[in-house]
Amino acid sequence: MQGFNGFMWLLSTAFTLFSGFALFDAAVRREDAYRAADKKTKPFWLVILGLAFVVSLIFEILSFLPIIGLVATIVYMVDVRPALRGLPGGGRSRRGGGSSSDGPYGPYNGGR
């Protein structure tokens, strides 16, 4: 029985880390990237993934709610995340990158 409990603890820990990574990944993506990829909004995914993370901390893995959270996390990881990463810039927030003369397709050179 200890082997089963150890396995369930390991599975629960893996799910918590998986949902935490998905939540972090959703948080660092740009808001407009979700609209450009035609996926739900960033706040929607942050709430869903945040609930999945909290539920994974509170309940055992074989309960009903963590399984729903696992499904939502898997949907984000296999559908939404690849769509966001496929956008130019990977959908990540820019931090000080780019010039004020940069256009949507690169730097503006003044017609030269």
Side-chain angles (χ1 to χ4, degrees), residues 49-91:
L49 295 172
L51 286 172
F53 181 71
V54 169
V55 163
S56 73
L57 290 173
I58 296 174
F59 295 102
E60 294 180 18
I61 191 69
L62 291 178
S63 299
F64 185 67
L65 289 176
I67 302 231
I68 293 173
L70 179 61
V71 169
T73 303
I74 291 172
V75 167
Y76 176 80
M77 293 299 284
V78 300
D79 183 40
V80 178
R81 185 172 188 253
L84 296 176
R85 292 181 75 192
L87 296 174

Side-chain angles (χ1 to χ4, degrees), residues 29-42:
R29 303 286 174 184
R30 292 189 332 250
E31 170 71 32
D32 61 335
Y34 289 88
R35 290 189 305 269
D38 198 27
K39 303 298 176 187
K40 297 278 186 185
T41 63
K42 182 176 183 175

